């Protein structure tokens, strides 16, 4: 019965997310419903002592990353830098390779720290223009953008400043560059298989005589031949985010050591700060600040005209994204404290004894259920992170491998139909699940397979 209660809460949350209801409201409702069925007298203590503690703890750690990432993406968009990078890549690759061009631009933007939601909006007008010129079916645009923005540069490539690569750092005391070779090989695996699939779909449509099509909705206006910033200037902020992320990752632990003790400066009531848990988060925050300042230095004239409105939009988006994920994190904390979870945990441990495979299956399953990579990752590591770390230490597995497997697994089954990014992407392109979700799901399958591919590489060759 305890296990059924947990499953009811999980499927209820998945159902309301799929129907488009806010998890900010329904995550605590689902969690407390599970508590109510377990022991009605525990509802209020669990709400304040577990759900709210976990939720607020997540916000304290990660809200600055969400906020700075959203602002960085917005100023990149407002400055014209995103358009400039897109134009430059298209000229370099050539319009005949429309799919590859869109995938590479999406990869550059997301690896440079731009939110994948921003990338979807920025890429669509160019994708539409290229696909129309090459007479490629419009229904293939979402799958193409998904490969570029939602996969290998989101959580596989080392150093990516996306939140899915940051969350594991606080659990395993790693940094965003964890397991660089595994991440790079896994990312290239996804890129190669994904492009092979998309090209196969394009050729199949061409043989059937299917072109871009007519009568579409949300067709973008023709892109004007406006004067855009120099492409080398446009890509500079993205390069600096990557470079300073690495620089700060190395410098912060050297400067602060392992602990910052407030009592040494007369603040005895403030608990000490453990630097290894926060160094990677601070490094990304510092790098994003430098990226934002760089954009403003080179394109202040373009940004200032609509700066206030643009920043307000990005702050609102950051708040929404943070609260969504934090609510799911609080939900996971409550579920982990219930007796049914202990039974599930034991069953998983007995069935899947390998910590890497267990971590991959648990993380991607929870990401799929919640419809969120960061939400599923947070729940998985909040409930099982310490156990994985202990098992890995016992077996001599590098914590960096745990980090990379968890990060990549979060971006596997997260893109089920109820995922927010999927819904947004389809809405932006004016397409439906029926028309285009099949190709997005193909990327989901490729990404999930890639996680077990890197696990096999580690065990066979010891690559980290």
């Amino acid at each position: 019965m305890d296990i059924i209660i947990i499953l009811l809460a999980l499927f209820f949350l998945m159902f309301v997310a799929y129907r488009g209801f806010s998890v900010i409201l329904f995550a605590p409702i689902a969690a407390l419903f599970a508590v109510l069925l377990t022991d009605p007298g525990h509802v209020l203590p669990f709400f304040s002592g577990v759900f709210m503690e976990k939720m607020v703890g997540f916000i304290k750690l990660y809200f600055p990353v969400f906020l700075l990432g959203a602002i960085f993406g917005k100023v990149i968009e407002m400055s014209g830098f995103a358009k400039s990078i897109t134009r430059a890549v298209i000229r370099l690759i050539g319009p005949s390779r429309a799919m590859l061009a869109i995938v590479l631009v999406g990869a550059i933007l997301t690896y440079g720290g731009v939110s994948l939601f921003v990338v979807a909006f920025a890429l669509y007008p160019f994708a539409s223009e290229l696909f129309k010129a090459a007479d490629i079916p419009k229904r293939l645009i979402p799958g193409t953008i998904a490969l570029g923005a939602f996969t290998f540069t989101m959580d596989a490539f080392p150093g990516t400043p996306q939140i899915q690569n940051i969350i594991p750092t606080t659990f395993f005391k790693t940094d965003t560059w964890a397991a660089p070779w595994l991440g790079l090989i896994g990312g290239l695996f996804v890129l190669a298989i994904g492009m092979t699939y998309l090209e196969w779909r394009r050729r199949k449509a061409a043989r059937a005589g299917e072109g871009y099509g007519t009568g579409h909705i949300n067709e973008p206006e023709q892109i004007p031949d406006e004067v855009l910033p120099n492409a080398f200037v446009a890509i500079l902020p993205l390069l600096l985010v990557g470079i300073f992320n690495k620089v700060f990752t190395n410098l912060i632990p050297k400067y602060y050591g392992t602990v910052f003790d407030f009592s040494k400066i007369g603040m005895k009531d403030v608990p000490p700060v453990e630097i290894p848990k926060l160094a990677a988060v601070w490094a990304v925050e510092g790098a994003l600040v430098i990226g934002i300042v760089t954009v403003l230095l080179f394109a202040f004239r373009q940004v200032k005209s609509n700066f206030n409105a643009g920043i307000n939009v990005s702050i609102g988006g950051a708040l929404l994204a943070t609260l969504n994920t934090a609510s799911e994190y609080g939900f996971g904390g409550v579920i982990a404290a219930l007796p049914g979870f202990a039974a599930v945990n034991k069953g998983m441990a007995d069935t899947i004894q390998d910590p890497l495979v267990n971590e991959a299956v648990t993380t991607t399953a929870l990401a799929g259920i919640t419809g969120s990579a960061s939400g599923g990752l947070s729940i998985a590591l909040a409930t099982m992170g310490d156990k994985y770390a202990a098992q890995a230490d016992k077996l001599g597995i590098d914590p960096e491998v745990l980090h990379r497997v968890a990060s990549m697994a979060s971006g596997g089954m997260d893109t089920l139909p109820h995922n927010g990014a999927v819904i947004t992407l389809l809405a932006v392109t004016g397409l439906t699940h029926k028309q285009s979700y099949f190709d997005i799901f193909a990327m989901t399958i490729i990404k999930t397979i890639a996680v077990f591919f890197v696990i096999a590489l580690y065990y066979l060759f010891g690559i980290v």
Side-chain angles (χ1 to χ4, degrees):
M1 187 62 189
D2 290 335
I3 295 174
I4 291 172
I5 288 170
I6 286 178
L7 292 175
L8 281 173
L10 285 169
F11 284 111
F12 172 72
L13 183 60
M14 182 171 66
F15 173 76
V16 295
Y18 179 73
R19 295 301 298 265
F21 293 102
S22 172
V23 297
I24 297 173
L25 172 63
F26 281 97
I29 290 174
L32 297 178
F33 174 69
V35 178
L36 178 68
L37 294 179
T38 303
D39 190 331
H42 290 171
V43 170
L44 293 178
F46 262 70
F47 175 67
S48 296
V50 181
F51 181 87
M52 289 306 298
E53 284 290 328
K54 292 289 185 182
M55 181 177 179
V56 171
F58 183 92
I59 294 170
K60 183 178 76 170
L61 272 175
Y62 301 116
F63 175 63
V65 176
F66 279 94
L67 178 63
L68 292 170
I71 293 173
F72 179 61
K74 196 63 183 176
V75 295
I76 283 283
E77 178 190 341
M78 293 165 63
S79 64
F81 283 9
K83 286 185 179 179
S84 178
I85 293 167
T86 306
R87 286 281 195 199
V89 172
I90 290 169
R91 283 197 301 268
L92 181 66
I93 301 298
S96 60
R97 298 177 179 173
M99 286 181 157
L100 179 60
I102 295 302
V103 168
L104 290 180
V105 174
I108 291 168
L109 293 175
T110 48
Y111 191 74
V114 180
S115 162
L116 54 89
F117 287 94
V118 172
V119 172
F121 282 98
L123 271 185
Y124 172 53
F126 295 95
S128 176
E129 184 181 80
L130 284 178
F131 276 50
K132 197 177 292 182
D135 206 25
I136 300 171
K138 182 184 178 181
R139 62 182 174 81
L140 298 180
I141 289 178
T144 305
I145 293 177
L147 176 60
F150 299 177
T151 60
F152 58 100
T153 51
M154 185 179 83
D155 52 43
F157 275 12
T160 176
Q162 298 296 330
I163 192 68
Q164 294 82 2
N165 191 40
I166 298 171
I167 289 173
T169 63
T170 57
F171 291 94
F172 301 127
K173 297 182 181 179
T174 50
D175 57 50
T176 55
W177 300 87
W181 289 110
L182 277 182
L184 184 61
I185 295 169
L188 291 174
F189 174 89
V190 173
L191 174 60
I193 303 299
M195 280 306 307
T196 301
Y197 169 82
L198 288 174
E199 285 297 330
W200 170 71
R201 291 283 284 170
R202 180 189 64 79
R203 290 193 300 270
K204 184 179 178 182
R207 285 195 299 270
E210 182 185 0
Y212 185 82
T214 57
H216 297 299
I217 63 171
N218 280 21
E219 281 292 277
E221 297 179 8
Q222 188 170 356
I223 302 169
D225 292 325
E226 58 188 297
V227 178
L228 294 172
N230 182 280
F232 291 104
V233 173
I235 204 168
L236 180 62
L238 280 72
L239 291 174
L240 290 178
V241 168
I243 291 167
F244 277 95
N245 181 17
K246 181 64 174 175
V247 170
F248 290 147
T249 296
N250 293 330
L251 288 182
I252 288 172
K254 291 179 181 177
Y255 182 79
Y256 287 106
T258 56
V259 176
F260 183 84
D261 190 354
F262 284 95
S263 66
K264 292 182 178 179
I265 56 173
M267 300 172 66
K268 296 182 179 179
D269 294 332
V270 180
V273 174
E274 295 181 47
I275 304 302
K277 287 186 175 181
L278 295 170
V281 178
W282 290 350
V284 171
E285 291 168 359
L288 287 170
V289 169
I290 287 176
I292 293 166
V293 171
T294 304
V295 175
L296 294 178
L297 285 175
F298 282 97
F300 184 72
R301 184 171 56 83
Q302 293 94 319
V303 172
K304 70 175 182 179
S305 60
N306 203 28
F307 183 77
N308 189 39
I311 293 302
N312 286 341
V313 168
S314 63
I315 291 171
L319 282 167
L320 183 61
T322 306
L323 288 174
N324 273 327
T325 310
S327 288
E328 290 168 343
Y329 189 65
F331 169 83
V334 171
I335 294 299
L338 296 176
F341 187 81
V344 173
N345 192 2
K346 185 177 184 304
M348 286 281 289
D350 292 341
T351 306
I352 308 174
Q353 297 184 355
D354 182 273
L356 295 180
V357 176
N358 192 311
E359 180 185 48
V361 171
T362 302
T363 303
T364 200
L366 288 171
I369 289 168
T370 58
S372 165
S374 54
L377 179 62
S378 300
I379 293 171
L381 296 187
T383 54
M384 302 282 283
D386 290 341
K387 180 178 180 180
Y388 294 142
Q391 288 179 326
D393 183 60
K394 185 178 179 181
L395 296 172
I397 298 173
D398 194 318
E400 292 192 15
V401 181
L402 284 174
H403 172 128
R404 188 56 53 209
V405 168
S407 181
M408 290 183 65
S410 74
M413 299 304 291
D414 68 312
T415 42
L416 291 179
H418 58 293
N419 173 267
V422 169
I423 292 168
T424 299
L425 178 57
L426 292 174
V428 168
T429 56
L431 294 162
T432 64
H433 281 78
K434 184 178 180 180
Q435 290 172 302
S436 294
Y437 181 71
F438 183 86
D439 299 304
I440 298 174
F441 185 68
M443 299 304 141
T444 298
I445 297 298
I446 293 167
K447 188 66 172 52
T448 303
I449 292 170
V451 181
F452 298 97
F453 172 70
V454 299
I455 292 173
L457 282 180
Y458 172 72
Y459 281 133
L460 289 172
F461 305 107
I463 297 172
V464 178

